[in-house]
Amino acid sequence: MAITANGYIAKENNETPWSDEEWQSFSEKVKEIKNLVIGRKTFEIMEHGKEFQKIGNPFTVIVSNQNKNNSNFVNSPEQAIELLEEKNFSEILVAGGGKLNSSFLQKGLIDEIYLDVEPFLFGKGTKLFAENDFEIKLELLETKQLSKNVIQLHYRILK
């Protein structure tokens, strides 16, 4: 996930003014994993911006209670994992938004987190994790400089 220095993944209007370096990093990870799990709002934003084509048209699963008669819409994180396992994916890339990130994390379904920290501060917007009841400890595995102003933090979830 791309985030501001104060933990937001989008402005209040859903705008994400991220750098080309962050977009390239995200695209490379999607092409490596070959799938994407996102929420309905993130799906609609990416679909409107024709972003799926830009990242190689990964197999995309949308977690939403508003099924759009598409076989890739599921109702829960567990159903998303089940569908991707049926398609023989061994790794899954959860890519937001904040509610989806929070639901996967609260259910213990995330092993690692990649955060691309952009040089912005937003006063309002979408948080990396929607408010929920969890406390998670992390182990820093790697830091990477993506550009002069953007760093990537790679964490493992300690269980």
Coordinates of all heavy atoms in Angstrom, one line a residue, residues 52-136:
F52 N -6.3 -1.5 -14.4 CA -6.1 -3.0 -14.5 C -5.2 -3.3 -15.7 O -4.3 -4.2 -15.6 CB -7.4 -3.8 -14.5 CG -8.1 -3.7 -13.2 CD1 -9.3 -2.9 -13.1 CD2 -7.7 -4.3 -12.1 CE1 -10.0 -2.8 -11.9 CE2 -8.4 -4.2 -10.9 CZ -9.5 -3.4 -10.8
Q53 N -5.4 -2.6 -16.8 CA -4.6 -2.9 -18.0 C -3.2 -2.4 -17.7 O -2.2 -3.1 -18.2 CB -5.2 -2.1 -19.2 CG -6.5 -2.6 -19.6 CD -7.7 -1.9 -18.9 OE1 -7.6 -1.3 -17.8 NE2 -8.9 -2.0 -19.4
K54 N -3.0 -1.4 -17.0 CA -1.6 -0.8 -16.7 C -0.8 -1.8 -15.8 O 0.4 -1.7 -15.9 CB -1.7 0.5 -16.0 CG -2.4 1.6 -16.9 CD -2.6 2.9 -16.1 CE -3.4 3.9 -16.8 NZ -3.7 5.1 -16.0
I55 N -1.5 -2.6 -15.1 CA -0.7 -3.5 -14.2 C -0.8 -5.0 -14.6 O -0.6 -5.9 -13.9 CB -1.2 -3.4 -12.7 CG1 -2.7 -3.7 -12.6 CG2 -0.9 -2.0 -12.1 CD1 -3.2 -3.7 -11.1
G56 N -1.1 -5.2 -15.9 CA -1.1 -6.5 -16.5 C -2.3 -7.4 -16.3 O -2.3 -8.6 -16.5
N57 N -3.5 -6.7 -16.1 CA -4.8 -7.5 -15.9 C -4.6 -8.7 -15.0 O -4.9 -9.8 -15.4 CB -5.3 -7.9 -17.3 CG -5.7 -6.7 -18.1 OD1 -6.5 -5.8 -17.6 ND2 -5.2 -6.6 -19.3
P58 N -4.3 -8.5 -13.7 CA -4.2 -9.6 -12.8 C -5.6 -10.2 -12.5 O -6.6 -9.6 -12.8 CB -3.6 -9.0 -11.5 CG -4.2 -7.6 -11.6 CD -4.1 -7.2 -13.1
F59 N -5.6 -11.4 -12.1 CA -6.8 -12.1 -11.6 C -7.3 -11.3 -10.4 O -6.5 -11.2 -9.4 CB -6.6 -13.5 -11.3 CG -7.9 -14.2 -10.9 CD1 -8.7 -14.7 -11.9 CD2 -8.3 -14.4 -9.6 CE1 -9.9 -15.4 -11.6 CE2 -9.5 -15.0 -9.3 CZ -10.3 -15.5 -10.3
T60 N -8.4 -10.6 -10.5 CA -8.8 -9.7 -9.4 C -10.1 -10.2 -8.7 O -11.1 -10.6 -9.4 CB -9.1 -8.3 -10.0 OG1 -7.9 -7.8 -10.7 CG2 -9.5 -7.3 -8.9
V61 N -10.0 -10.2 -7.4 CA -11.2 -10.6 -6.6 C -11.6 -9.4 -5.8 O -10.8 -8.7 -5.2 CB -10.8 -11.8 -5.6 CG1 -11.9 -12.1 -4.7 CG2 -10.3 -13.0 -6.3
I62 N -12.9 -9.1 -5.8 CA -13.5 -8.0 -5.2 C -14.3 -8.5 -4.0 O -15.2 -9.3 -4.1 CB -14.4 -7.2 -6.1 CG1 -13.6 -6.7 -7.4 CG2 -15.0 -5.9 -5.4 CD1 -13.7 -7.7 -8.5
V63 N -14.0 -8.0 -2.8 CA -14.7 -8.3 -1.6 C -15.7 -7.2 -1.3 O -15.4 -6.1 -1.1 CB -13.8 -8.5 -0.4 CG1 -14.6 -8.9 0.9 CG2 -12.7 -9.5 -0.7
S64 N -17.0 -7.6 -1.4 CA -18.1 -6.7 -1.3 C -19.4 -7.4 -0.9 O -19.6 -8.5 -1.4 CB -18.3 -5.9 -2.6 OG -19.4 -5.0 -2.5
N65 N -20.2 -6.7 -0.2 CA -21.6 -7.3 0.0 C -22.5 -6.8 -1.1 O -23.7 -7.2 -1.1 CB -22.1 -6.9 1.4 CG -22.2 -5.4 1.6 OD1 -22.0 -4.6 0.7 ND2 -22.5 -5.0 2.8
Q66 N -22.0 -6.1 -2.1 CA -22.8 -5.7 -3.2 C -22.4 -6.4 -4.5 O -21.6 -5.9 -5.3 CB -22.7 -4.2 -3.4 CG -23.2 -3.4 -2.3 CD -23.0 -1.9 -2.5 OE1 -22.8 -1.4 -3.6 NE2 -23.1 -1.1 -1.5
N67 N -22.7 -7.7 -4.6 CA -22.3 -8.5 -5.7 C -22.9 -8.0 -7.0 O -24.0 -7.7 -7.1 CB -22.8 -10.0 -5.5 CG -22.2 -10.9 -6.5 OD1 -21.9 -10.6 -7.6 ND2 -21.9 -12.1 -6.0
K68 N -22.0 -7.9 -8.0 CA -22.4 -7.3 -9.3 C -22.5 -8.4 -10.3 O -22.2 -8.2 -11.5 CB -21.4 -6.3 -9.7 CG -21.2 -5.1 -8.8 CD -20.9 -3.9 -9.4 CE -20.9 -2.8 -8.4 NZ -20.9 -1.5 -9.0
N69 N -23.0 -9.6 -9.9 CA -23.2 -10.7 -10.8 C -21.9 -11.1 -11.6 O -21.9 -11.3 -12.7 CB -24.3 -10.5 -11.8 CG -25.6 -10.4 -11.1 OD1 -25.9 -11.2 -10.1 ND2 -26.5 -9.5 -11.5
N70 N -20.8 -11.0 -10.9 CA -19.5 -11.3 -11.4 C -18.9 -12.4 -10.5 O -18.9 -12.2 -9.3 CB -18.6 -10.0 -11.4 CG -17.2 -10.2 -11.9 OD1 -16.6 -11.2 -11.6 ND2 -16.7 -9.3 -12.6
S71 N -18.4 -13.4 -11.1 CA -17.9 -14.5 -10.3 C -16.7 -14.2 -9.4 O -16.4 -14.9 -8.5 CB -17.5 -15.7 -11.2 OG -16.5 -15.3 -12.1
N72 N -16.1 -13.0 -9.7 CA -14.9 -12.6 -8.9 C -15.3 -11.7 -7.7 O -14.5 -11.2 -7.0 CB -13.9 -11.9 -9.7 CG -13.2 -12.9 -10.7 OD1 -13.5 -14.1 -10.7 ND2 -12.4 -12.4 -11.6
F73 N -16.6 -11.5 -7.5 CA -17.1 -10.8 -6.3 C -17.4 -11.8 -5.2 O -18.1 -12.8 -5.5 CB -18.4 -10.0 -6.6 CG -18.2 -8.6 -7.2 CD1 -17.7 -8.4 -8.5 CD2 -18.4 -7.5 -6.3 CE1 -17.5 -7.1 -8.9 CE2 -18.2 -6.2 -6.8 CZ -17.8 -6.0 -8.1
V74 N -16.9 -11.6 -4.1 CA -17.1 -12.5 -2.9 C -17.5 -11.6 -1.7 O -17.3 -10.4 -1.7 CB -15.9 -13.3 -2.6 CG1 -15.5 -14.2 -3.8 CG2 -14.7 -12.4 -2.2
N75 N -18.0 -12.3 -0.7 CA -18.6 -11.6 0.5 C -17.6 -11.4 1.6 O -17.9 -10.7 2.6 CB -19.8 -12.3 1.0 CG -21.0 -12.2 -0.1 OD1 -21.2 -11.1 -0.6 ND2 -21.7 -13.3 -0.3
S76 N -16.5 -12.1 1.6 CA -15.6 -12.1 2.8 C -14.2 -12.4 2.4 O -13.9 -12.9 1.3 CB -16.0 -13.2 3.8 OG -15.8 -14.5 3.3
P77 N -13.2 -12.0 3.3 CA -11.8 -12.3 3.0 C -11.6 -13.8 2.9 O -10.8 -14.2 2.0 CB -11.1 -11.8 4.3 CG -12.0 -10.6 4.7 CD -13.4 -11.1 4.5
E78 N -12.3 -14.6 3.7 CA -12.1 -16.1 3.6 C -12.6 -16.6 2.2 O -11.9 -17.5 1.6 CB -12.9 -16.8 4.7 CG -12.4 -16.5 6.1 CD -13.0 -15.2 6.7 OE1 -13.8 -14.5 6.1 OE2 -12.8 -15.0 7.9
Q79 N -13.7 -16.0 1.7 CA -14.1 -16.4 0.3 C -13.1 -16.0 -0.7 O -12.9 -16.7 -1.7 CB -15.5 -15.9 0.0 CG -16.6 -16.6 0.8 CD -18.0 -16.0 0.5 OE1 -18.1 -14.9 0.0 NE2 -19.0 -16.7 0.9
A80 N -12.5 -14.9 -0.5 CA -11.5 -14.4 -1.5 C -10.3 -15.4 -1.5 O -9.8 -15.8 -2.6 CB -11.0 -13.0 -1.1
I81 N -9.8 -15.8 -0.3 CA -8.7 -16.8 -0.3 C -9.1 -18.1 -0.9 O -8.4 -18.7 -1.6 CB -8.3 -16.9 1.2 CG1 -7.6 -15.6 1.7 CG2 -7.4 -18.1 1.4 CD1 -7.4 -15.6 3.2
E82 N -10.3 -18.5 -0.6 CA -10.8 -19.8 -1.1 C -10.8 -19.8 -2.7 O -10.4 -20.7 -3.3 CB -12.2 -20.1 -0.6 CG -12.8 -21.4 -1.0 CD -14.2 -21.6 -0.4 OE1 -14.3 -21.5 0.9 OE2 -15.1 -21.8 -1.1
L83 N -11.3 -18.7 -3.2 CA -11.4 -18.6 -4.7 C -10.0 -18.6 -5.3 O -9.7 -19.2 -6.3 CB -12.1 -17.3 -5.1 CG -12.2 -17.0 -6.6 CD1 -12.9 -18.1 -7.4 CD2 -12.9 -15.6 -6.8
L84 N -9.1 -17.8 -4.7 CA -7.7 -17.8 -5.2 C -7.0 -19.1 -5.1 O -6.2 -19.5 -5.9 CB -6.9 -16.6 -4.6 CG -7.4 -15.3 -5.1 CD1 -7.0 -14.2 -4.1 CD2 -6.9 -15.0 -6.5
E85 N -7.3 -19.8 -4.0 CA -6.7 -21.2 -3.8 C -7.2 -22.1 -4.9 O -6.5 -22.9 -5.4 CB -6.9 -21.7 -2.4 CG -6.1 -21.1 -1.4 CD -6.4 -21.5 0.1 OE1 -7.5 -22.1 0.3 OE2 -5.6 -21.3 0.9
E86 N -8.5 -22.0 -5.2 CA -9.1 -22.8 -6.3 C -8.4 -22.5 -7.6 O -8.4 -23.4 -8.5 CB -10.6 -22.5 -6.4 CG -11.5 -23.1 -5.3 CD -12.9 -22.6 -5.4 OE1 -13.3 -22.0 -6.4 OE2 -13.7 -22.9 -4.4
K87 N -8.0 -21.3 -7.8 CA -7.3 -20.9 -9.0 C -5.8 -21.2 -9.0 O -5.0 -20.8 -9.8 CB -7.5 -19.4 -9.3 CG -9.0 -19.1 -9.5 CD -9.6 -19.6 -10.8 CE -11.0 -19.2 -11.0 NZ -11.6 -19.8 -12.2
N88 N -5.4 -21.9 -7.9 CA -4.0 -22.3 -7.7 C -3.0 -21.2 -7.5 O -1.8 -21.3 -7.8 CB -3.5 -23.2 -8.9 CG -4.3 -24.5 -9.0 OD1 -4.5 -25.1 -7.9 ND2 -4.7 -24.8 -10.1
F89 N -3.4 -20.1 -6.8 CA -2.5 -19.1 -6.4 C -2.0 -19.4 -5.0 O -2.7 -19.8 -4.1 CB -3.2 -17.7 -6.4 CG -3.5 -17.1 -7.7 CD1 -4.8 -17.2 -8.2 CD2 -2.5 -16.5 -8.5 CE1 -5.1 -16.6 -9.4 CE2 -2.8 -16.0 -9.7 CZ -4.1 -16.0 -10.2
S90 N -0.6 -19.3 -4.9 CA 0.0 -19.6 -3.6 C 0.2 -18.4 -2.8 O 0.4 -18.5 -1.5 CB 1.3 -20.4 -3.8 OG 2.2 -19.6 -4.5
E91 N 0.2 -17.2 -3.4 CA 0.4 -15.9 -2.7 C -0.8 -15.0 -3.1 O -1.3 -15.1 -4.2 CB 1.7 -15.2 -3.1 CG 2.9 -15.9 -2.6 CD 4.1 -15.1 -2.9 OE1 4.5 -15.2 -4.1 OE2 4.7 -14.5 -2.0
I92 N -1.2 -14.2 -2.2 CA -2.3 -13.3 -2.5 C -1.9 -11.8 -2.1 O -1.3 -11.6 -1.1 CB -3.5 -13.7 -1.6 CG1 -4.0 -15.1 -2.0 CG2 -4.7 -12.7 -1.7 CD1 -5.0 -15.7 -1.0
L93 N -2.2 -10.9 -3.0 CA -1.9 -9.5 -2.8 C -3.2 -8.7 -2.4 O -4.0 -8.5 -3.3 CB -1.2 -8.9 -4.0 CG -0.8 -7.5 -3.9 CD1 0.3 -7.3 -2.8 CD2 -0.2 -7.0 -5.2
V94 N -3.3 -8.3 -1.2 CA -4.4 -7.5 -0.7 C -4.0 -6.1 -0.9 O -3.0 -5.6 -0.4 CB -4.7 -7.8 0.8 CG1 -5.9 -6.9 1.3 CG2 -5.1 -9.3 1.0
A95 N -4.9 -5.3 -1.6 CA -4.4 -4.0 -2.0 C -5.5 -2.9 -1.7 O -5.6 -1.9 -2.4 CB -4.1 -3.9 -3.5
G96 N -6.3 -3.1 -0.6 CA -7.1 -2.0 -0.2 C -8.5 -2.1 -0.7 O -8.9 -2.9 -1.5
G97 N -9.3 -1.2 -0.1 CA -9.0 0.0 0.7 C -8.9 -0.4 2.2 O -8.6 -1.5 2.6
G98 N -9.0 0.7 3.0 CA -8.8 0.6 4.4 C -9.7 -0.4 5.1 O -9.3 -1.1 6.0
K99 N -11.0 -0.5 4.7 CA -11.9 -1.5 5.4 C -11.5 -2.9 5.1 O -11.4 -3.7 6.0 CB -13.3 -1.3 4.9 CG -14.0 0.0 5.4 CD -15.4 0.1 4.9 CE -16.0 1.4 5.2 NZ -17.4 1.6 4.6
L100 N -11.1 -3.2 3.8 CA -10.6 -4.5 3.4 C -9.3 -4.8 4.2 O -9.2 -5.9 4.7 CB -10.5 -4.6 1.9 CG -10.1 -6.0 1.4 CD1 -11.2 -7.0 1.6 CD2 -9.6 -5.9 0.0
N101 N -8.4 -3.9 4.2 CA -7.1 -4.1 4.9 C -7.4 -4.5 6.3 O -6.8 -5.5 6.8 CB -6.2 -2.9 4.8 CG -5.8 -2.6 3.4 OD1 -5.8 -3.4 2.5 ND2 -5.3 -1.3 3.2
S102 N -8.3 -3.8 7.0 CA -8.6 -4.0 8.4 C -9.2 -5.3 8.6 O -8.9 -6.0 9.5 CB -9.5 -2.9 8.9 OG -9.7 -3.0 10.2
S103 N -10.1 -5.7 7.7 CA -10.8 -7.0 7.9 C -9.8 -8.2 7.7 O -9.9 -9.2 8.5 CB -12.0 -7.2 7.0 OG -11.6 -7.2 5.6
F104 N -8.9 -8.1 6.8 CA -7.9 -9.2 6.6 C -7.0 -9.2 7.8 O -6.7 -10.3 8.3 CB -7.1 -9.0 5.3 CG -7.6 -9.7 4.1 CD1 -8.6 -9.1 3.4 CD2 -7.1 -10.9 3.7 CE1 -9.1 -9.7 2.2 CE2 -7.6 -11.6 2.6 CZ -8.6 -11.0 1.9
L105 N -6.6 -8.1 8.3 CA -5.7 -8.0 9.4 C -6.3 -8.5 10.7 O -5.7 -9.3 11.4 CB -5.2 -6.6 9.6 CG -4.0 -6.4 10.6 CD1 -2.8 -7.1 10.1 CD2 -3.7 -4.9 10.8
Q106 N -7.5 -8.1 11.0 CA -8.2 -8.5 12.2 C -8.4 -10.0 12.2 O -8.4 -10.6 13.3 CB -9.6 -7.8 12.3 CG -10.2 -8.1 13.7 CD -11.6 -7.4 13.8 OE1 -12.3 -7.2 12.9 NE2 -11.9 -7.0 15.1
K107 N -8.6 -10.6 11.1 CA -8.9 -12.1 11.0 C -7.6 -12.9 11.0 O -7.6 -14.1 10.8 CB -9.8 -12.4 9.8 CG -11.2 -11.8 10.0 CD -12.0 -12.1 8.8 CE -13.4 -11.5 9.0 NZ -14.4 -12.0 8.1
G108 N -6.4 -12.2 11.0 CA -5.2 -12.9 11.0 C -4.8 -13.5 9.7 O -4.1 -14.5 9.6
L109 N -5.2 -12.8 8.6 CA -5.0 -13.4 7.3 C -3.9 -12.7 6.5 O -3.8 -12.9 5.3 CB -6.3 -13.3 6.5 CG -7.5 -14.1 7.1 CD1 -8.8 -13.8 6.3 CD2 -7.2 -15.6 7.1
I110 N -3.1 -11.8 7.2 CA -2.0 -11.2 6.5 C -0.7 -11.6 7.1 O -0.6 -11.7 8.4 CB -2.1 -9.6 6.6 CG1 -3.4 -9.1 5.8 CG2 -0.9 -8.9 6.1 CD1 -3.6 -7.6 5.9
D111 N 0.3 -12.0 6.3 CA 1.6 -12.4 6.8 C 2.6 -11.3 6.7 O 3.5 -11.2 7.6 CB 2.0 -13.7 6.0 CG 1.1 -14.8 6.2 OD1 0.7 -15.1 7.3 OD2 0.9 -15.5 5.2
E112 N 2.5 -10.5 5.6 CA 3.5 -9.5 5.4 C 2.8 -8.2 4.9 O 1.8 -8.3 4.3 CB 4.6 -9.9 4.4 CG 5.4 -11.1 4.9 CD 6.5 -11.5 3.9 OE1 6.8 -10.8 2.9 OE2 7.0 -12.6 4.0
I113 N 3.5 -7.1 5.2 CA 3.0 -5.8 4.7 C 4.1 -5.0 4.0 O 5.2 -4.9 4.5 CB 2.4 -5.0 5.9 CG1 1.3 -5.7 6.6 CG2 2.0 -3.6 5.5 CD1 0.8 -5.0 7.9
Y114 N 3.8 -4.5 2.8 CA 4.6 -3.6 2.1 C 4.0 -2.2 2.2 O 2.9 -2.0 1.8 CB 4.8 -4.0 0.7 CG 5.6 -5.2 0.5 CD1 5.1 -6.5 0.5 CD2 7.0 -5.1 0.2 CE1 5.8 -7.6 0.3 CE2 7.8 -6.2 -0.1 CZ 7.2 -7.5 0.0 OH 7.9 -8.6 -0.2
L115 N 4.7 -1.2 2.7 CA 4.2 0.2 2.8 C 5.2 1.1 2.0 O 6.4 1.1 2.3 CB 4.2 0.6 4.2 CG 3.3 -0.1 5.2 CD1 3.4 0.4 6.6 CD2 1.8 0.0 4.7
D116 N 4.7 1.7 1.0 CA 5.4 2.7 0.2 C 5.1 4.1 0.8 O 3.9 4.5 0.6 CB 5.1 2.6 -1.3 CG 5.6 1.3 -1.9 OD1 6.3 0.5 -1.2 OD2 5.1 1.0 -3.0
V117 N 6.0 4.7 1.5 CA 5.7 5.9 2.2 C 6.0 7.1 1.3 O 7.2 7.3 1.0 CB 6.5 6.0 3.6 CG1 6.1 7.3 4.3 CG2 6.2 4.8 4.4
E118 N 5.0 7.8 1.0 CA 5.1 9.0 0.1 C 5.2 10.3 0.9 O 4.7 10.3 2.0 CB 3.8 9.1 -0.8 CG 3.7 8.0 -1.9 CD 4.5 8.4 -3.1 OE1 5.0 9.5 -3.2 OE2 4.5 7.5 -4.0
P119 N 5.9 11.3 0.4 CA 6.1 12.5 1.2 C 4.9 13.5 1.2 O 4.9 14.6 0.6 CB 7.3 13.2 0.4 CG 7.1 12.7 -1.0 CD 6.5 11.3 -0.9
F120 N 3.8 13.0 1.8 CA 2.6 13.8 1.9 C 2.0 13.6 3.3 O 2.3 12.6 4.0 CB 1.5 13.3 0.9 CG 1.7 13.5 -0.5 CD1 2.2 12.5 -1.3 CD2 1.4 14.7 -1.1 CE1 2.4 12.7 -2.7 CE2 1.6 14.9 -2.4 CZ 2.1 13.9 -3.2
L121 N 1.2 14.6 3.7 CA 0.4 14.5 4.9 C -1.0 14.9 4.5 O -1.2 16.0 3.8 CB 0.9 15.5 6.0 CG 2.3 15.3 6.5 CD1 2.7 16.4 7.4 CD2 2.4 13.9 7.3
F122 N -2.0 14.1 4.8 CA -3.4 14.5 4.5 C -4.1 14.7 5.9 O -3.9 13.9 6.8 CB -4.1 13.3 3.8 CG -3.6 13.0 2.4 CD1 -4.0 11.7 1.9 CD2 -2.8 13.8 1.7 CE1 -3.5 11.4 0.6 CE2 -2.3 13.4 0.4 CZ -2.7 12.2 -0.1
G123 N -4.9 15.7 6.0 CA -5.6 15.9 7.2 C -6.9 15.1 7.3 O -7.4 14.8 8.3
K124 N -7.4 14.7 6.1 CA -8.6 13.8 6.0 C -8.4 12.8 4.9 O -7.6 13.1 4.0 CB -9.9 14.6 5.7 CG -10.3 15.6 6.8 CD -11.6 16.3 6.4 CE -12.1 17.2 7.5 NZ -13.3 17.9 7.1
G125 N -9.1 11.7 5.0 CA -9.0 10.7 3.9 C -9.3 9.3 4.4 O -9.8 9.1 5.5
T126 N -8.8 8.4 3.6 CA -8.9 7.0 4.0 C -7.7 6.5 4.7 O -6.6 6.6 4.1 CB -9.1 6.1 2.7 OG1 -10.3 6.7 2.0 CG2 -9.4 4.7 3.0
K127 N -7.8 5.9 5.9 CA -6.7 5.4 6.6 C -6.3 4.1 6.0 O -7.1 3.3 5.5 CB -7.1 5.2 8.1 CG -7.3 6.5 8.8 CD -7.7 6.3 10.3 CE -8.0 7.6 11.0 NZ -8.4 7.3 12.4
L128 N -5.0 3.7 6.3 CA -4.5 2.4 5.8 C -5.3 1.3 6.4 O -5.7 0.3 5.7 CB -3.0 2.3 6.3 CG -2.4 0.9 6.1 CD1 -2.3 0.6 4.6 CD2 -1.0 0.9 6.8
F129 N -5.7 1.4 7.6 CA -6.6 0.4 8.3 C -7.8 1.1 8.9 O -7.6 2.0 9.7 CB -5.9 -0.4 9.3 CG -4.8 -1.2 8.8 CD1 -3.5 -0.8 9.0 CD2 -5.0 -2.4 8.1 CE1 -2.4 -1.6 8.5 CE2 -4.0 -3.2 7.6 CZ -2.7 -2.8 7.8
A130 N -9.0 0.8 8.5 CA -10.2 1.3 9.1 C -10.2 1.0 10.6 O -9.6 -0.1 11.0 CB -11.5 0.8 8.4
E131 N -10.8 1.8 11.4 CA -10.8 1.5 12.8 C -11.5 0.2 13.1 O -12.5 -0.2 12.5 CB -11.6 2.6 13.5 CG -10.8 3.9 13.6 CD -11.5 5.0 14.5 OE1 -12.2 4.6 15.4 OE2 -11.2 6.2 14.2
N132 N -10.8 -0.6 13.9 CA -11.2 -1.9 14.2 C -10.5 -2.3 15.5 O -9.5 -1.6 16.0 CB -10.8 -2.9 13.1 CG -11.9 -4.0 12.9 OD1 -12.5 -4.4 13.8 ND2 -12.1 -4.3 11.6
D133 N -10.8 -3.4 16.1 CA -10.2 -3.8 17.4 C -9.1 -4.9 17.1 O -9.4 -6.0 17.0 CB -11.3 -4.4 18.3 CG -10.8 -4.7 19.7 OD1 -9.8 -4.1 20.1 OD2 -11.4 -5.5 20.4
F134 N -7.9 -4.3 17.0 CA -6.7 -5.2 16.9 C -5.5 -4.5 17.3 O -5.4 -3.3 17.4 CB -6.5 -5.7 15.4 CG -6.4 -4.7 14.4 CD1 -5.2 -4.0 14.2 CD2 -7.4 -4.3 13.6 CE1 -5.0 -3.0 13.2 CE2 -7.3 -3.3 12.6 CZ -6.1 -2.7 12.5
E135 N -4.5 -5.3 17.7 CA -3.2 -4.8 18.0 C -2.2 -5.8 17.5 O -2.2 -7.0 17.9 CB -3.0 -4.6 19.5 CG -1.7 -4.0 19.9 CD -1.5 -3.8 21.4 OE1 -2.5 -3.3 22.0 OE2 -0.4 -4.0 21.9
I136 N -1.4 -5.4 16.6 CA -0.5 -6.3 15.9 C 1.0 -5.8 16.1 O 1.3 -4.6 15.9 CB -0.8 -6.3 14.4 CG1 -2.3 -6.6 14.1 CG2 0.1 -7.3 13.6 CD1 -2.8 -8.0 14.4

